[in-house]
Amino acid sequence: MFSKPLTLFRVFGFEVKADWSWLILGALIVWSLAQGLFPAWYKGLDPAAYWIMGVAGAIGLFLSIVFHELWHSLIARKYGLDMRGITLFLFGGVAEMGDEPPSPKAEFFLAVAGPVSSVVLASVLLAVSYFIAGGGPMTPVTGVLNYLGYLNFILAAFNLIPAFPLDGGRVLRAILWGSWNDLRRATRVASSVGAVIGAALMALGALQFFLGRSVGGLWTLIIGMFVRGAAKSSYRQLLFRRALEGVPVRKFMAADAVSVAPGTTVAKLVEDYIYKYQFKMYPVVDGGDLVGCVTLDQIKGLTPEDRVSRTVGELARGCSPDNTIGPDEDVLKALSLMQKTGRSRLIVADGGKLAGVIALKDIMGYIALKLDLEEM
Ligand SMILES: [Zn+2]
């Protein structure tokens, strides 16, 4: 259900990850800088120089977004929020938060940290590029710095659009939250504003498109769709959180979970369990004790002879915090673990015993029913 992004590097303890869409986007940016923007802005440079500038510009753009998100993350950490890392998507980045900010004030500073850092970086880059150029024409180096300066201003401006969950929308939510003292209402209004702005951008894009500005129009349309989608899903996310807050894993787990005895052969596991239940992971239980778990991936490489001769007990690996959770832990924790690891089922273990299994679809079904009944 969740596709896992690619981990690139770590900075100040935050993992920087990129969505696969970034590879395509990166190539597109290099191309449009080298063939479009740089030749138009800085005339008369070597054609090869434009390509090198294009690559440097794309890397600079990427690092600018990381810089912006990093400041969100640093301020969030200061407020004691559990930050998982920074993930770059098609339209910038997301500093992944485990929780909602603790107070309107925290949310406000957390939200403005990114745009403020981008404005500071933009000013420095522009000052440096104009200072080195000294009134003369831009060289490839100053040209890229100059471009990145303007880019960071645009990055700050885009993020300040008051469309939740963009930074500007978070500022709006912080103000509403502070004055109403009601996080849910503030989120609902801020994301409604975001959805309206998204729809307006889409309409503007369509208008541009019909007026003959097809590329610009298409971009505005896509950004509008993105803003609208993000606004809607972030309100849903809040409802999710609210619906699941303080609910223990025990409530959702299937206590009569399918388990395998260690003496079972792999061939039997395939025939009697994998084909029958179609799960990718099975807890291995020996007389009530949880021995470990066996996954589909472990079996894939085995020859037919091995499958007949080897047992599940030989293959089973100890259950790790990556696939196991306690019955009294918060179900939100289970959900975020599923999201992080891409698993849709987790083993519920209680003091070395198998307590059950918790599945994503059961949690989702509960949320859907709860939202339907209470119409939050
Ligand atoms: Zn931001």
Side-chain angles (χ1 to χ4, degrees):
M1 151 144 201
F2 304 107
S3 75
K4 266 168 93 177
L6 194 66
T7 302
L8 301 172
F9 54 87
R10 296 178 75 88
V11 54
F12 293 113
F14 299 116
E15 241 175 31
V16 176
K17 290 169 282 184
D19 188 71
W20 288 95
S21 58
W22 248 91
L23 281 177
I24 305 159
L25 189 72
L28 220 77
I29 291 167
V30 171
W31 176 72
S32 59
L33 288 179
Q35 293 295 296
L37 190 129
F38 286 149
W41 280 22
Y42 318 116
K43 293 195 168 59
L45 296 177
D46 192 318
Y50 290 127
W51 282 106
I52 298 168
M53 289 167 75
V55 172
I59 294 172
L61 184 148
F62 175 83
L63 292 178
S64 296
I65 295 174
V66 172
F67 181 79
H68 176 109
E69 297 304 329
L70 183 65
W71 276 96
H72 284 307
S73 304
L74 286 171
I75 299 295
R77 185 189 271 173
K78 215 176 123 55
Y79 279 104
L81 279 166
D82 160 41
M83 298 303 295
R84 294 193 206 119
I86 297 166
T87 303
L88 300 174
F89 291 104
L90 209 48
F91 292 100
V94 172
E96 291 167 50
M97 265 188 287
D99 274 308
E100 294 288 346
S103 68
K105 198 176 131 201
E107 162 121 89
F108 180 83
F109 286 115
L110 180 52
V112 295
V116 167
S117 73
S118 293
V119 167
V120 171
L121 183 62
S123 313
V124 171
L125 287 168
L126 285 181
V128 169
S129 70
Y130 284 119
F131 179 76
I132 299 178
M138 292 283 173
T139 61
V141 173
T142 54
V144 171
L145 292 179
N146 190 261
Y147 154 74
L148 289 174
Y150 285 109
L151 176 93
N152 274 283
F153 267 127
I154 293 172
L155 199 64
F158 173 71
N159 276 289
L160 283 173
I161 297 175
F164 189 81
L166 294 182
D167 300 337
R170 288 192 167 271
V171 170
L172 175 65
R173 183 173 82 158
I175 294 168
L176 296 177
W177 182 12
S179 45
W180 295 338
N181 199 21
D182 182 346
L183 175 63
R184 202 168 93 191
R185 188 170 159 219
T187 308
R188 195 177 57 227
V189 172
S191 38
S192 303
V193 172
V196 169
I197 291 177
L201 284 171
M202 285 166 69
L204 183 71
L207 188 69
Q208 281 176 300
F209 194 83
F210 287 118
L211 291 176
R213 296 189 51 204
S214 45
V215 176
L218 211 59
W219 272 113
T220 316
L221 187 77
I222 293 172
I223 290 171
M225 281 167 68
F226 167 77
V227 167
R228 195 174 155 77
K232 294 199 156 203
S233 74
S234 58
Y235 180 54
R236 258 199 313 271
Q237 238 171 46
L238 177 92
L239 295 185
F240 269 37
R241 260 183 223 280
R242 283 289 153 109
L244 296 178
E245 223 161 40
V247 179
V249 163
R250 192 184 291 283
K251 183 164 176 174
F252 295 96
M253 72 182 191
D256 54 345
V258 176
S259 65
V260 199
T264 315
T265 64
V266 174
K268 196 167 161 54
L269 173 74
V270 172
E271 274 312 313
D272 293 355
Y273 293 86
I274 293 178
Y275 288 148
K276 185 172 172 196
Y277 300 107
Q278 295 162 5
F279 300 142
K280 288 181 179 157
M281 178 181 70
Y282 297 84
V284 181
V285 174
D286 192 5
D289 291 328
L290 181 60
V291 181
C293 33
V294 61
T295 63
L296 198 60
D297 288 334
Q298 288 171 281
I299 294 163
K300 274 182 193 162
L302 295 181
T303 61
E305 295 81 53
D306 278 347
R307 288 187 185 185
V308 176
S309 63
R310 302 194 64 177
T311 66
V312 167
E314 293 168 40
L315 285 178
R317 294 208 186 114
C319 297
S320 69
D322 249 15
N323 57 26
T324 317
I325 194 155
D328 295 312
E329 294 200 70
D330 208 298
V331 75
L332 273 177
K333 195 180 161 197
L335 207 55
S336 86
L337 188 62
M338 288 175 183
Q339 195 163 9
K340 211 166 79 185
T341 59
R343 294 176 207 278
S344 56
R345 293 170 81 244
L346 299 174
I347 289 177
V348 185
D350 194 4
K353 303 267 181 202
L354 177 70
V357 162
I358 182 165
L360 179 64
K361 68 170 179 24
D362 296 334
I363 305 175
M364 293 314 211
Y366 170 82
I367 295 172
L369 282 176
K370 183 156 169 133
L371 296 187
D372 200 24
L373 272 177
E374 299 180 11
E375 243 189 288
M376 296 199 292

